[in-house]
Amino acid sequence: MLQTGPAKKLVVYVNETARYEGRPVHEVLLHWLQEHGVAGATVTKALAGYGAHGTLHVSRPFRIREDVPIRIEVVESAERINHILPFVYDMVPQGLIEVQDTEVVKHSPQPEPASEAERERERIKLEGRAKMLRVYIDEDDMWEGAPLYEAILKTLRMMDVAGATVYRGVLGYGARNRLHKSGFLGLSHNLPIMITVVDSAEKVRRAISVLDEMVGAGLIVLSDVEVIKYTHAATTREGES
Amino acid sequence: MTEAVKILRVYVGEDDRWEGVPLYEAIVLRLRELGIAGASVFRGIAGFGANQRVAESVPFGLSHDMPMMIAAVDTEEKIRRALPLLDEMVDEGLVVLSDASVWGAAGR
């Protein structure tokens, strides 16, 4: 399965009229990639271009068979790309094949039963020694036009941190040495905000390097914790059925 | 005079129930039955966790399933006595322990 982090992008440029065993190359390639469990592939048609032959190909309306470049794009792990490359090479008679380094930021396929085992492994991995991260900021702190605590929460989620909770204090003073106090009918503002995170030391350290940049005035503390239990909704429901 | 203790933190959802009452309430009552020195419940204003849902509060208390955190402090021996119970009660959430020191406590 495709994981977030470093990956490879494979791009193939062929002409729409190019054939492999009598069928359009891009069709053959797409089916082959699907059959071989490649995470995903996209075929796009160019408006115009020139390439191996040096001839300019332009898309013209109302023509059924167009002589334009087709681009097939695949993102997979370096290992998978290396495995499929010889086959792709063979299927593309004329054109261009390139491989580039890329980084997968988000990959959220449909949940499948197989991923249950993975979550279970993750759960077991988290139990035992772990770290608790606490971030203290102000409610009015902003980041890119949104409340900083919301931005931090989104960032942590993107980093696939096990969980985070945001609390609003009722009173406090801190980095800016101003006293924050909640007022009548909850109309006060700029109260202290605390965000707590529990995850493995490695995940928490990675989160710190990102949060360090986001937290201008505030406090970030780290402490040791022992995880006794960490359960997902999916795992328990599986057990009940 | 300092005393080594453990802090127990339990993270559950506000809407989680246990035998008809809110789970966080049931946990506090059971901790009291076990003679744990004290427990406090905190309500988060946003968060995500075991269920991977993002909860965010809306004004006038209309929001629901906010993250709830129950914190209790006592000796390791007493806290560990509560763990099997929590294991049974917490279906979806997180239970963590950490070390702390108590500098004197009134009423003990």
Side-chain angles (χ1 to χ4, degrees):
Chain A
M1 207 190 94
L2 189 60
Q3 307 269 331
T4 51
K8 292 275 184 192
K9 189 202 278 187
L10 167 74
V11 188
V12 178
Y13 297 86
V14 288
N15 196 281
E16 199 180 358
T17 55
R19 290 286 182 275
Y20 180 81
E21 291 177 353
R23 287 168 61 213
V25 170
H26 62 274
E27 262 183 48
V28 178
L29 209 52
L30 194 65
H31 286 131
W32 189 89
L33 292 167
Q34 197 187 12
E35 273 166 27
H36 288 79
V38 168
T42 309
V43 179
T44 48
K45 193 164 155 178
L47 281 174
Y50 72 92
H53 299 286
T55 342
L56 192 68
H57 309 290
V58 182
S59 167
R60 296 185 202 288
F62 313 117
R63 273 175 66 176
I64 294 164
R65 243 190 64 189
E66 287 184 325
D67 190 23
V68 290
I70 294 271
R71 188 182 141 109
I72 303 128
E73 209 175 298
V74 174
V75 175
E76 255 294 2
S77 64
E79 194 196 358
R80 287 288 289 146
I81 292 288
N82 286 339
H83 279 188
I84 65 172
L85 209 49
F87 299 94
V88 174
Y89 185 92
D90 180 58
M91 276 182 266
V92 179
Q94 272 164 334
L96 177 73
I97 301 172
E98 61 155 333
V99 176
Q100 39 180 288
D101 290 321
T102 187
E103 190 186 336
V104 176
V105 175
K106 182 175 186 171
H107 180 243
S108 35
Q110 297 278 331
E112 41 185 315
S115 71
E116 210 44 59
E118 257 162 61
R119 295 189 91 179
E120 182 68 17
R121 239 175 290 141
E122 185 106 326
R123 190 181 69 81
I124 291 163
K125 210 166 58 188
L126 188 61
E127 274 173 24
R129 307 303 300 167
K131 290 278 180 190
M132 178 181 273
L133 177 70
R134 288 189 190 84
V135 182
Y136 297 85
I137 51 168
D138 286 353
E139 194 173 6
D140 288 355
D141 288 343
M142 301 293 274
W143 179 261
E144 304 287 347
L148 179 59
Y149 69 88
E150 268 184 39
I152 289 176
L153 204 62
K154 283 185 182 133
T155 306
L156 293 168
R157 222 183 119 108
M158 188 185 83
M159 296 182 80
D160 206 20
V161 162
T165 307
V166 181
Y167 304 93
R168 185 191 285 125
V170 291
L171 185 66
Y173 71 93
R176 292 195 190 96
N177 213 21
R178 279 196 315 247
L179 188 72
H180 309 300
K181 199 176 170 186
S182 82
F184 183 60
L185 288 175
L187 292 174
S188 63
H189 49 94
N190 212 21
L191 287 173
I193 291 278
M194 177 179 75
I195 303 153
T196 61
V197 172
V198 176
D199 210 322
S200 63
E202 191 211 334
K203 275 269 186 72
V204 167
R205 293 220 173 267
R206 239 187 293 155
I208 290 172
S209 60
V210 177
L211 297 186
D212 188 30
E213 212 177 290
M214 300 174 83
V215 178
L219 177 69
I220 300 177
V221 294
L222 191 61
S223 49
D224 291 316
V225 287
E226 182 186 345
V227 176
I228 303 296
K229 187 174 188 176
Y230 175 55
T231 43
H232 292 294
T235 5
T236 38
R237 264 170 218 144
E238 194 82 351
E240 278 163 16
S241 60
Chain B
M1 173 92 193
T2 67
E3 189 191 343
V5 291
K6 286 276 181 190
I7 302 179
L8 169 76
R9 289 188 184 84
V10 185
Y11 297 83
V12 295
E14 192 174 8
D15 292 352
D16 293 345
R17 312 288 287 183
W18 177 260
E19 290 170 358
V21 297
L23 178 60
Y24 61 86
E25 212 179 290
I27 289 174
V28 170
L29 293 175
R30 301 302 281 273
L31 291 175
R32 196 169 66 164
E33 278 169 27
L34 283 170
I36 303 277
S40 307
V41 180
F42 299 88
R43 184 174 189 266
I45 56 162
F48 67 91
N51 55 23
Q52 282 301 308
R53 280 188 310 245
V54 175
E56 260 192 79
S57 64
V58 291
F60 309 114
L62 294 173
S63 52
H64 54 88
D65 214 19
M66 285 290 120
M68 301 300 273
M69 193 261 281
I70 304 129
V73 180
D74 211 318
T75 59
E76 175 159 12
E77 187 216 335
K78 276 172 110 182
I79 291 285
R80 292 220 178 257
R81 237 185 279 160
L83 299 183
L85 187 77
L86 293 171
D87 190 43
E88 191 195 328
M89 294 173 90
V90 180
D91 252 2
E92 197 181 307
L94 176 69
V95 181
V96 295
L97 277 189
S98 51
D99 294 314
S101 309
V102 167
W103 275 271
R108 280 166 64 104

